[in-house]
Amino acid sequence: DCIDCVAGKYINLAGSDELSDCIDCVAGTYWVTGTGFNGADGADESSDCVACAVGKFSIIVGSSTIEECTDCVAGKYIDATGSDEPEDCINCDAGKYIDVSGSDESRDCINCIAGKHWMAGMGFEGADGADEETDCVACAVGKYSTSVGTDTGDDCTDCMVGKYLDVTASDAPED
């Protein structure tokens, strides 16, 4: 009997006579035995390898399971299928954060609230990709911001002459 290639591999030539003729699915994809046409085993072309879903990537060549597709970490998203490295995951724009892993579009990024901001490079050891609301930095005492999703402390406005604010994270000059 002819033998199917193992999961994570395919063969696209007739008359093959060795296991080594089986070709690995590329990183960012996987093939699960028994998922072929009508449940058949034995993938016969590279397009049988299934791309990891948006929000996920896989660095593994010859992957045989969907579980080897890994979520982008919180603070990042990916909006394409078949990603093959964690560097494909995209940081939220400055002024925004994502507090869950596996995000699949930039709309998942949440604006810092008024009175707070987030600048690229402010993360742990300068890393980008804010991953929680507390990463948004409060405007200093004496300053306020009425805008959401601001990306620099320069967006915090000084109180007018003759007025003061004695709290941080103020979102209005009246606070």
Side-chain angles (χ1 to χ4, degrees):
D1 287 342
C2 295
I3 302 168
D4 292 326
C5 289
V6 297
K9 296 179 180 275
Y10 67 94
I11 192 163
N12 58 1
L13 301 171
S16 294
D17 59 358
E18 296 181 8
L19 175 63
S20 63
D21 291 337
C22 296
I23 303 165
D24 286 324
C25 290
V26 298
T29 66
Y30 63 94
W31 169 256
V32 179
T33 302
T35 58
F37 182 71
N38 288 331
D41 293 334
D44 61 3
E45 55 189 45
S46 62
S47 63
D48 288 336
C49 299
V50 179
C52 291
V54 292
K56 298 178 178 284
F57 67 91
S58 177
I59 61 171
I60 299 170
V61 174
S63 178
S64 62
T65 175
I66 192 171
E67 285 78 19
E68 292 175 331
C69 293
T70 304
D71 285 345
C72 287
V73 297
K76 298 175 181 263
Y77 68 93
I78 190 156
D79 54 7
T81 61
S83 295
D84 60 0
E85 57 188 14
E87 292 79 16
D88 291 339
C89 299
I90 303 163
N91 292 323
C92 285
D93 290 338
K96 299 175 183 257
Y97 66 94
I98 295 178
D99 55 3
V100 296
S101 62
S103 294
D104 59 7
E105 60 184 349
S106 63
R107 291 189 309 189
D108 292 339
C109 298
I110 303 164
N111 285 322
C112 290
I113 62 171
K116 295 188 174 191
H117 66 279
W118 167 259
M119 297 184 317
M122 285 179 47
F124 180 70
E125 295 181 1
D128 293 332
D131 60 3
E132 54 188 39
E133 192 278 329
T134 58
D135 289 334
C136 298
V137 178
C139 289
V141 171
K143 296 179 177 269
Y144 67 94
S145 174
T146 59
S147 300
V148 298
T150 60
D151 60 5
T152 177
D154 293 341
D155 293 325
C156 298
T157 305
D158 289 329
C159 285
M160 295 174 28
V161 173
K163 298 188 180 272
Y164 71 95
L165 278 170
D166 60 357
V167 296
T168 62
S170 180
D171 61 0
E174 301 83 32
D175 284 349

